[in-house]
């Protein structure tokens, strides 16, 4: 039968000879009282094919093509074809095709459910793949700019680059063995931190420690650590304070007995970092932690110009022990006084006053 644009079933207008014209189809016209749902199911079949399911459905395409090409000899049971024996046959074929149509609807529903499940599986695999990729990136090698940052500082602290030196980017790139492009990124970060100054088309000027840098560094330390040491004295774990006190006492005895060597210098640097690091961590403030790490680079620069002798190291170790003793008794006032005295003495030592 012929399908109109509105997908409407129509009524027969001429007789059919079921004996001599078995393959002839009815000439049809629109039925006036037809409602939309009568043609809706056929349109669903066409939509299912046009949307492109995951697997080809040839039987659906064939059915749709036959329907649109007027090759489906099926009409509704209430179609009026008076005085012709074809009515019974049409009724029986209607029942047959209706059952077939119901099967197709079920199959369409099943295929749609399968497509949704396949889509969910694909999206899950993509999410897992993205998570693996992100973890690999996080656990992968550091960026070249980060490597350049660390190597520039190491070359400065190890005196490969002299304090206050003025060099070109190419010379610095050769020293740290990092390409120029990531080197520039690291230089911009170090310039923002005050370690160096970039002169366009000229070179790089590293900072030289002096009175102003010394004053600013110890002023910052005093402001932050005086508040932190009070918290550390009241809340610090006894195992931490006891362990630090034991290490300081051992190093003090070694220096008094054997003097200063490479091992003693390394242990002294480690004790400085551990003691003041634990004091800062007592505040549990990530912003202060980040700022203190940058300040520690200034402190290392200041020490490059300082000669460490046995009396200086002994005085520093005793000052640390005074802080730890006050913290061991949970005396916040005494701990703050001991810390302030330590900073004043350390600033004078860096300035060469004592």
């Amino acid at each position: 039968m012929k399908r109109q644009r509105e997908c409407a079933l129509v009524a027969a207008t001429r007789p059919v000879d079921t004996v001599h014209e078995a393959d002839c189809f009815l000439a049809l016209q629109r039925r006036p009282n037809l409602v939309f749902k009568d043609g809706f199911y056929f349109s669903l079949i066409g939509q299912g094919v046009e949307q492109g399911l995951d697997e080809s459905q040839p039987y659906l395409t064939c059915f749709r093509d036959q329907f649109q090409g007027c090759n489906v000899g099926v009409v509704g049971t209430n179609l009026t074809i008076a005085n012709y024996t074809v009515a019974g046959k049409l009724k029986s074929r209607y029942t047959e095709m209706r059952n077939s149509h119901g099967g197709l609807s079920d199959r369409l529903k099943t295929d749609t459910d399968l497509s949704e499940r396949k889509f969910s599986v694909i999206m899950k695999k993509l999410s897992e793949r993205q998570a693996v990729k992100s973890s690999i990136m996080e656990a992968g090698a550091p960026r070249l700019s980060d490597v350049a940052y660390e190597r520039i500082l190491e070359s400065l602290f190890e005196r490969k680059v002299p304090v206050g030196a003025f060099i070109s980017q190419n010379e610095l790139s050769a020293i740290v063995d990092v390409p120029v492009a990531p080197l520039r990124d690291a230089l911009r970060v170090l310039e923002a931190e005050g370690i160096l100054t970039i002169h366009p088309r000229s070179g790089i000027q590293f900072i030289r420690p002096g009175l102003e840098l010394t004053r600013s560094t110890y002023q910052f330390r005093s402001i932050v650590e005086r508040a932190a040491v009070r918290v550390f004295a009241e809340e610090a774990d006894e195992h931490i304070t006891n362990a630090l006190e034991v290490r300081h006492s051992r190093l003090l005895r070694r220096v008094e007995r054997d003097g200063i060597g490479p091992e003693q210098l390394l242990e002294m640097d480690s004790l400085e970092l551990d003691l003041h690091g634990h004091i800062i961590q007592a505040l549990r403030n990530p912003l202060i932690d980040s700022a203190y790490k940058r300040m520690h680079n200034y402190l290392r620069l200041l020490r490059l110009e300082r000669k460490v002798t046995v009396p200086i190291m002994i005085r520093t170790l005793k000052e640390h022990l005074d802080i730890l003793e006050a913290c061991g008794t949970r005396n916040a006032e005494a701990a703050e006084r001991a810390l302030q005295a330590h900073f004043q003495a350390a600033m004078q030592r860096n300035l060469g006053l004592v």
Side-chain angles (χ1 to χ4, degrees), residues 288-302:
I288 294 178
D289 291 343
S290 177
Y292 195 85
K293 288 178 181 178
R294 185 174 65 179
M295 187 280 308
H296 188 71
N297 292 331
Y298 300 149
L299 190 61
R300 293 182 66 182
L301 283 174
L302 295 176

Side-chain angles (χ1 to χ4, degrees), residues 48 66 68 132 152 226 259 301 320 322:
Q66 290 180 355
Q68 293 180 342
V132 171
I152 292 172
R226 284 175 63 183
L301 283 174
H320 283 190
D322 291 340

